[in-house]
Short mmCIF file of all heavy atoms in Angstrom, two decimals:
data_model
loop_
_atom_site.label_atom_id
_atom_site.label_comp_id
_atom_site.label_asym_id
_atom_site.label_seq_id
_atom_site.Cartn_x
_atom_site.Cartn_y
_atom_site.Cartn_z
N ASN A 26 3.17 0.65 17.06
CA ASN A 26 2.56 -0.55 17.61
C ASN A 26 1.62 -0.24 18.78
O ASN A 26 0.58 -0.89 18.94
CB ASN A 26 3.63 -1.55 18.05
CG ASN A 26 4.37 -2.16 16.88
OD1 ASN A 26 3.94 -2.06 15.73
ND2 ASN A 26 5.51 -2.79 17.16
N ALA A 27 2.00 0.73 19.58
CA ALA A 27 1.17 1.08 20.73
C ALA A 27 -0.19 1.59 20.29
O ALA A 27 -1.19 1.38 20.98
CB ALA A 27 1.88 2.12 21.60
N LYS A 28 -0.23 2.29 19.17
CA LYS A 28 -1.48 2.82 18.65
C LYS A 28 -2.14 1.88 17.65
O LYS A 28 -3.21 2.21 17.12
CB LYS A 28 -1.25 4.18 18.00
CG LYS A 28 -0.79 5.27 18.95
CD LYS A 28 -0.62 6.59 18.23
CE LYS A 28 -0.21 7.69 19.19
NZ LYS A 28 -0.03 8.99 18.51
N ARG A 29 -1.51 0.75 17.40
CA ARG A 29 -2.04 -0.23 16.45
C ARG A 29 -2.29 0.42 15.09
O ARG A 29 -3.30 0.13 14.43
CB ARG A 29 -3.33 -0.87 16.98
CG ARG A 29 -3.14 -1.66 18.26
CD ARG A 29 -4.45 -2.30 18.69
NE ARG A 29 -4.29 -3.14 19.87
CZ ARG A 29 -5.27 -3.80 20.45
NH1 ARG A 29 -6.50 -3.74 19.95
NH2 ARG A 29 -5.04 -4.54 21.52
N THR A 30 -1.37 1.25 14.68
CA THR A 30 -1.56 2.03 13.46
C THR A 30 -0.34 1.95 12.57
O THR A 30 0.80 2.03 13.04
CB THR A 30 -1.87 3.49 13.80
OG1 THR A 30 -3.02 3.56 14.65
CG2 THR A 30 -2.14 4.29 12.54
N VAL A 31 -0.59 1.81 11.29
CA VAL A 31 0.44 1.84 10.26
C VAL A 31 0.19 3.06 9.38
O VAL A 31 -0.96 3.36 9.04
CB VAL A 31 0.43 0.56 9.42
CG1 VAL A 31 1.51 0.61 8.35
CG2 VAL A 31 0.63 -0.66 10.32
N TYR A 32 1.24 3.74 9.02
CA TYR A 32 1.13 4.96 8.24
C TYR A 32 1.84 4.82 6.91
O TYR A 32 2.80 4.06 6.76
CB TYR A 32 1.76 6.15 8.99
CG TYR A 32 1.20 6.37 10.37
CD1 TYR A 32 1.83 5.83 11.49
CD2 TYR A 32 0.04 7.12 10.56
CE1 TYR A 32 1.32 6.04 12.75
CE2 TYR A 32 -0.47 7.33 11.83
CZ TYR A 32 0.17 6.78 12.92
OH TYR A 32 -0.34 6.99 14.19
N LEU A 33 1.38 5.56 5.95
CA LEU A 33 2.07 5.71 4.69
C LEU A 33 2.15 7.20 4.38
O LEU A 33 1.14 7.82 4.04
CB LEU A 33 1.35 4.97 3.56
CG LEU A 33 2.06 5.02 2.20
CD1 LEU A 33 3.38 4.25 2.26
CD2 LEU A 33 1.17 4.46 1.10
N GLN A 34 3.33 7.76 4.54
CA GLN A 34 3.56 9.15 4.20
C GLN A 34 3.93 9.23 2.73
O GLN A 34 4.90 8.60 2.30
CB GLN A 34 4.67 9.74 5.07
CG GLN A 34 4.94 11.21 4.78
CD GLN A 34 6.05 11.78 5.64
OE1 GLN A 34 6.40 11.23 6.67
NE2 GLN A 34 6.61 12.88 5.20
N MET A 35 3.18 10.00 1.99
CA MET A 35 3.35 10.10 0.55
C MET A 35 3.70 11.54 0.20
O MET A 35 2.90 12.44 0.43
CB MET A 35 2.09 9.65 -0.18
CG MET A 35 1.62 8.26 0.19
SD MET A 35 0.18 7.71 -0.78
CE MET A 35 -1.05 8.88 -0.20
N ASN A 36 4.88 11.72 -0.34
CA ASN A 36 5.35 13.03 -0.75
C ASN A 36 5.54 13.07 -2.26
O ASN A 36 5.65 12.04 -2.92
CB ASN A 36 6.67 13.37 -0.05
CG ASN A 36 6.56 13.43 1.45
OD1 ASN A 36 5.54 13.85 1.99
ND2 ASN A 36 7.62 13.02 2.14
N SER A 37 5.61 14.27 -2.78
CA SER A 37 5.83 14.47 -4.22
C SER A 37 4.88 13.62 -5.05
O SER A 37 5.29 12.94 -5.99
CB SER A 37 7.29 14.17 -4.57
OG SER A 37 8.18 14.99 -3.84
N LEU A 38 3.62 13.68 -4.70
CA LEU A 38 2.63 12.85 -5.37
C LEU A 38 2.48 13.23 -6.84
O LEU A 38 2.56 14.41 -7.21
CB LEU A 38 1.29 12.95 -4.66
CG LEU A 38 1.22 12.18 -3.35
CD1 LEU A 38 0.05 12.67 -2.51
CD2 LEU A 38 1.09 10.68 -3.62
N GLN A 39 2.27 12.22 -7.65
CA GLN A 39 2.10 12.38 -9.08
C GLN A 39 0.77 11.80 -9.50
O GLN A 39 0.20 10.96 -8.80
CB GLN A 39 3.24 11.68 -9.83
CG GLN A 39 4.64 12.15 -9.44
CD GLN A 39 4.86 13.61 -9.77
OE1 GLN A 39 4.46 14.08 -10.83
NE2 GLN A 39 5.49 14.33 -8.86
N PRO A 40 0.24 12.24 -10.64
CA PRO A 40 -1.04 11.67 -11.10
C PRO A 40 -1.04 10.16 -11.20
O PRO A 40 -2.08 9.53 -10.97
CB PRO A 40 -1.24 12.33 -12.47
CG PRO A 40 -0.54 13.65 -12.34
CD PRO A 40 0.67 13.36 -11.49
N ASP A 41 0.10 9.55 -11.52
CA ASP A 41 0.17 8.10 -11.60
C ASP A 41 0.00 7.42 -10.25
O ASP A 41 -0.18 6.21 -10.19
CB ASP A 41 1.50 7.66 -12.23
CG ASP A 41 1.54 7.88 -13.73
OD1 ASP A 41 0.50 8.17 -14.33
OD2 ASP A 41 2.64 7.76 -14.31
N ASP A 42 0.07 8.18 -9.17
CA ASP A 42 -0.16 7.62 -7.85
C ASP A 42 -1.65 7.48 -7.55
O ASP A 42 -2.00 6.90 -6.51
CB ASP A 42 0.50 8.49 -6.77
CG ASP A 42 2.01 8.52 -6.89
OD1 ASP A 42 2.61 7.45 -7.13
OD2 ASP A 42 2.59 9.62 -6.74
N THR A 43 -2.49 8.01 -8.40
CA THR A 43 -3.93 7.91 -8.19
C THR A 43 -4.36 6.45 -8.18
O THR A 43 -4.08 5.71 -9.13
CB THR A 43 -4.68 8.68 -9.28
OG1 THR A 43 -4.38 10.07 -9.18
CG2 THR A 43 -6.18 8.48 -9.14
N ALA A 44 -5.03 6.05 -7.13
CA ALA A 44 -5.45 4.66 -6.97
C ALA A 44 -6.23 4.54 -5.67
O ALA A 44 -6.29 5.47 -4.87
CB ALA A 44 -4.24 3.72 -6.94
N VAL A 45 -6.82 3.37 -5.48
CA VAL A 45 -7.35 3.01 -4.18
C VAL A 45 -6.23 2.33 -3.42
O VAL A 45 -5.63 1.37 -3.91
CB VAL A 45 -8.57 2.08 -4.30
CG1 VAL A 45 -9.05 1.67 -2.91
CG2 VAL A 45 -9.69 2.78 -5.06
N TYR A 46 -5.96 2.81 -2.24
CA TYR A 46 -4.89 2.28 -1.41
C TYR A 46 -5.47 1.39 -0.33
O TYR A 46 -6.40 1.78 0.38
CB TYR A 46 -4.07 3.42 -0.79
CG TYR A 46 -3.15 4.08 -1.77
CD1 TYR A 46 -3.64 4.89 -2.79
CD2 TYR A 46 -1.76 3.88 -1.71
CE1 TYR A 46 -2.80 5.48 -3.71
CE2 TYR A 46 -0.92 4.47 -2.62
CZ TYR A 46 -1.44 5.27 -3.62
OH TYR A 46 -0.59 5.86 -4.54
N TYR A 47 -4.90 0.19 -0.21
CA TYR A 47 -5.38 -0.81 0.72
C TYR A 47 -4.32 -1.15 1.75
O TYR A 47 -3.14 -1.32 1.42
CB TYR A 47 -5.75 -2.11 -0.02
CG TYR A 47 -6.89 -1.97 -1.00
CD1 TYR A 47 -6.65 -1.66 -2.32
CD2 TYR A 47 -8.21 -2.17 -0.59
CE1 TYR A 47 -7.70 -1.54 -3.23
CE2 TYR A 47 -9.25 -2.06 -1.48
CZ TYR A 47 -8.99 -1.74 -2.80
OH TYR A 47 -10.03 -1.63 -3.69
N CYS A 48 -4.75 -1.27 2.97
CA CYS A 48 -3.90 -1.75 4.04
C CYS A 48 -3.98 -3.27 4.11
O CYS A 48 -5.07 -3.85 3.95
CB CYS A 48 -4.35 -1.14 5.37
SG CYS A 48 -3.35 -1.61 6.79
N ASN A 49 -2.86 -3.90 4.32
CA ASN A 49 -2.78 -5.35 4.41
C ASN A 49 -1.96 -5.74 5.63
O ASN A 49 -0.93 -5.13 5.90
CB ASN A 49 -2.16 -5.93 3.14
CG ASN A 49 -1.87 -7.42 3.25
OD1 ASN A 49 -0.81 -7.83 3.71
ND2 ASN A 49 -2.84 -8.23 2.81
N GLY A 50 -2.42 -6.75 6.33
CA GLY A 50 -1.68 -7.25 7.46
C GLY A 50 -1.62 -8.76 7.44
O GLY A 50 -2.60 -9.43 7.10
N VAL A 51 -0.47 -9.30 7.77
CA VAL A 51 -0.27 -10.74 7.89
C VAL A 51 0.24 -11.03 9.29
O VAL A 51 1.26 -10.47 9.71
CB VAL A 51 0.72 -11.28 6.85
CG1 VAL A 51 0.93 -12.78 7.04
CG2 VAL A 51 0.24 -10.98 5.44
N TRP A 52 -0.47 -11.88 9.97
CA TRP A 52 -0.05 -12.33 11.30
C TRP A 52 0.51 -13.74 11.15
O TRP A 52 -0.19 -14.65 10.71
CB TRP A 52 -1.23 -12.31 12.26
CG TRP A 52 -1.44 -10.96 12.90
CD1 TRP A 52 -1.10 -10.58 14.15
CD2 TRP A 52 -2.04 -9.81 12.27
NE1 TRP A 52 -1.45 -9.27 14.37
CE2 TRP A 52 -2.03 -8.76 13.24
CE3 TRP A 52 -2.58 -9.56 11.01
CZ2 TRP A 52 -2.54 -7.49 12.97
CZ3 TRP A 52 -3.08 -8.29 10.74
CH2 TRP A 52 -3.05 -7.28 11.71
N PHE A 53 1.79 -13.89 11.51
CA PHE A 53 2.49 -15.13 11.27
C PHE A 53 2.26 -16.14 12.38
O PHE A 53 2.18 -15.80 13.56
CB PHE A 53 3.99 -14.88 11.12
CG PHE A 53 4.34 -14.02 9.95
CD1 PHE A 53 4.63 -12.67 10.11
CD2 PHE A 53 4.36 -14.55 8.67
CE1 PHE A 53 4.95 -11.87 9.03
CE2 PHE A 53 4.67 -13.76 7.58
CZ PHE A 53 4.97 -12.42 7.75
N ALA A 54 2.17 -17.40 11.97
CA ALA A 54 2.08 -18.52 12.89
C ALA A 54 3.35 -19.35 12.79
O ALA A 54 4.20 -19.13 11.93
CB ALA A 54 0.86 -19.37 12.58
N LEU A 55 3.50 -20.31 13.70
CA LEU A 55 4.67 -21.18 13.65
C LEU A 55 4.73 -21.91 12.32
O LEU A 55 5.82 -22.14 11.77
CB LEU A 55 4.64 -22.16 14.81
CG LEU A 55 4.84 -21.56 16.20
CD1 LEU A 55 4.73 -22.63 17.27
CD2 LEU A 55 6.19 -20.86 16.29
N SER A 56 3.60 -22.30 11.82
CA SER A 56 3.50 -22.89 10.50
C SER A 56 2.84 -21.88 9.57
O SER A 56 1.78 -21.35 9.89
CB SER A 56 2.70 -24.18 10.53
OG SER A 56 2.44 -24.66 9.22
N SER A 57 3.48 -21.62 8.44
CA SER A 57 2.93 -20.64 7.50
C SER A 57 1.56 -21.04 6.99
O SER A 57 0.80 -20.19 6.51
CB SER A 57 3.89 -20.45 6.32
OG SER A 57 4.08 -21.66 5.62
N LYS A 58 1.25 -22.30 7.11
CA LYS A 58 -0.06 -22.77 6.70
C LYS A 58 -1.17 -22.05 7.45
O LYS A 58 -2.29 -21.90 6.94
CB LYS A 58 -0.16 -24.28 6.92
CG LYS A 58 -1.49 -24.90 6.60
CD LYS A 58 -1.46 -26.40 6.85
CE LYS A 58 -2.80 -27.04 6.55
NZ LYS A 58 -2.77 -28.51 6.80
N TYR A 59 -0.85 -21.60 8.66
CA TYR A 59 -1.84 -20.97 9.50
C TYR A 59 -1.66 -19.46 9.61
O TYR A 59 -2.27 -18.82 10.46
CB TYR A 59 -1.81 -21.61 10.89
CG TYR A 59 -2.08 -23.09 10.86
CD1 TYR A 59 -1.06 -24.00 11.02
CD2 TYR A 59 -3.37 -23.57 10.63
CE1 TYR A 59 -1.30 -25.36 10.97
CE2 TYR A 59 -3.62 -24.92 10.58
CZ TYR A 59 -2.59 -25.81 10.75
OH TYR A 59 -2.84 -27.17 10.70
N ASP A 60 -0.83 -18.88 8.74
CA ASP A 60 -0.73 -17.42 8.68
C ASP A 60 -2.11 -16.84 8.39
O ASP A 60 -2.90 -17.40 7.62
CB ASP A 60 0.25 -16.97 7.61
CG ASP A 60 1.69 -17.25 7.96
OD1 ASP A 60 1.96 -17.66 9.10
OD2 ASP A 60 2.55 -17.06 7.09
N ARG A 61 -2.37 -15.69 8.96
CA ARG A 61 -3.64 -15.01 8.75
C ARG A 61 -3.42 -13.68 8.05
O ARG A 61 -2.56 -12.89 8.45
CB ARG A 61 -4.36 -14.79 10.08
CG ARG A 61 -4.71 -16.07 10.82
CD ARG A 61 -5.42 -15.77 12.12
NE ARG A 61 -5.79 -16.99 12.83
CZ ARG A 61 -6.44 -17.02 13.98
NH1 ARG A 61 -6.80 -15.89 14.56
NH2 ARG A 61 -6.72 -18.18 14.55
N GLN A 62 -4.17 -13.44 7.02
CA GLN A 62 -4.05 -12.23 6.23
C GLN A 62 -5.38 -11.47 6.23
O GLN A 62 -6.45 -12.08 6.08
CB GLN A 62 -3.63 -12.56 4.80
CG GLN A 62 -3.46 -11.33 3.91
CD GLN A 62 -2.93 -11.67 2.55
OE1 GLN A 62 -1.85 -11.22 2.17
NE2 GLN A 62 -3.66 -12.48 1.80
N TYR A 63 -5.29 -10.15 6.34
CA TYR A 63 -6.47 -9.30 6.36
C TYR A 63 -6.26 -8.09 5.47
O TYR A 63 -5.13 -7.61 5.29
CB TYR A 63 -6.78 -8.85 7.79
CG TYR A 63 -6.97 -10.00 8.76
CD1 TYR A 63 -5.90 -10.46 9.52
CD2 TYR A 63 -8.20 -10.63 8.90
CE1 TYR A 63 -6.06 -11.52 10.39
CE2 TYR A 63 -8.37 -11.69 9.77
CZ TYR A 63 -7.29 -12.13 10.51
OH TYR A 63 -7.45 -13.19 11.39
N TRP A 64 -7.35 -7.60 4.94
CA TRP A 64 -7.35 -6.42 4.08
C TRP A 64 -8.31 -5.37 4.60
O TRP A 64 -9.39 -5.68 5.12
CB TRP A 64 -7.79 -6.79 2.66
CG TRP A 64 -6.82 -7.62 1.90
CD1 TRP A 64 -6.79 -8.98 1.82
CD2 TRP A 64 -5.73 -7.14 1.10
NE1 TRP A 64 -5.76 -9.38 1.01
CE2 TRP A 64 -5.09 -8.29 0.56
CE3 TRP A 64 -5.25 -5.89 0.78
CZ2 TRP A 64 -3.98 -8.19 -0.28
CZ3 TRP A 64 -4.15 -5.78 -0.05
CH2 TRP A 64 -3.52 -6.92 -0.57
N GLY A 65 -7.92 -4.12 4.43
CA GLY A 65 -8.84 -3.04 4.68
C GLY A 65 -9.74 -2.83 3.48
O GLY A 65 -9.60 -3.47 2.44
N GLN A 66 -10.68 -1.92 3.62
CA GLN A 66 -11.63 -1.65 2.55
C GLN A 66 -11.09 -0.69 1.50
O GLN A 66 -11.66 -0.59 0.41
CB GLN A 66 -12.93 -1.09 3.14
CG GLN A 66 -13.68 -2.08 4.02
CD GLN A 66 -14.06 -3.33 3.28
OE1 GLN A 66 -14.73 -3.27 2.23
NE2 GLN A 66 -13.66 -4.49 3.79
N GLY A 67 -10.02 -0.02 1.79
CA GLY A 67 -9.40 0.87 0.84
C GLY A 67 -9.78 2.32 1.04
O GLY A 67 -10.85 2.64 1.54
N THR A 68 -8.89 3.20 0.63
CA THR A 68 -9.15 4.63 0.65
C THR A 68 -8.65 5.23 -0.66
O THR A 68 -7.58 4.89 -1.15
CB THR A 68 -8.48 5.30 1.87
OG1 THR A 68 -8.83 6.68 1.92
CG2 THR A 68 -6.96 5.17 1.83
N GLN A 69 -9.45 6.09 -1.23
CA GLN A 69 -9.14 6.67 -2.54
C GLN A 69 -8.15 7.81 -2.41
O GLN A 69 -8.33 8.71 -1.60
CB GLN A 69 -10.42 7.16 -3.22
CG GLN A 69 -10.20 7.86 -4.57
CD GLN A 69 -9.80 6.89 -5.66
OE1 GLN A 69 -10.42 5.84 -5.82
NE2 GLN A 69 -8.75 7.25 -6.40
N VAL A 70 -7.12 7.75 -3.24
CA VAL A 70 -6.16 8.84 -3.38
C VAL A 70 -6.22 9.32 -4.82
O VAL A 70 -6.01 8.53 -5.74
CB VAL A 70 -4.74 8.41 -3.01
CG1 VAL A 70 -3.74 9.52 -3.34
CG2 VAL A 70 -4.66 8.05 -1.54
N THR A 71 -6.49 10.59 -5.00
CA THR A 71 -6.56 11.17 -6.33
C THR A 71 -5.59 12.34 -6.41
O THR A 71 -5.67 13.26 -5.60
CB THR A 71 -7.97 11.65 -6.67
OG1 THR A 71 -8.89 10.56 -6.57
CG2 THR A 71 -8.02 12.21 -8.08
N VAL A 72 -4.69 12.27 -7.37
CA VAL A 72 -3.70 13.32 -7.56
C VAL A 72 -4.01 14.03 -8.87
O VAL A 72 -4.01 13.41 -9.93
CB VAL A 72 -2.27 12.75 -7.59
CG1 VAL A 72 -1.26 13.88 -7.69
CG2 VAL A 72 -2.01 11.91 -6.34
#
């Protein structure tokens, strides 16, 4: 949280893991109607 960073450590990668990986964040409000969702642009992982 201090670095404002989320990580995904991927071990034992397989060819089926090949994909574009996207980061997603949801910031919750008191009412879910006002929840905010954001997406990254994606990063390619090729195994």
Side-chain angles (χ1 to χ4, degrees):
N26 291 345
K28 296 182 178 180
R29 297 182 176 180
T30 303
V31 180
Y32 305 95
L33 183 66
Q34 181 181 341
M35 305 184 294
N36 298 325
S37 301
L38 285 162
Q39 303 297 318
D41 285 348
D42 296 317
T43 296
V45 177
Y46 284 71
Y47 297 91
C48 181
N49 172 272
V51 178
W52 274 257
F53 297 101
L55 292 178
S56 172
S57 61
K58 177 180 179 180
Y59 301 104
D60 289 352
R61 298 180 179 181
Q62 181 175 242
Y63 304 94
W64 291 93
Q66 295 300 305
T68 184
Q69 177 71 47
V70 172
T71 302
V72 184

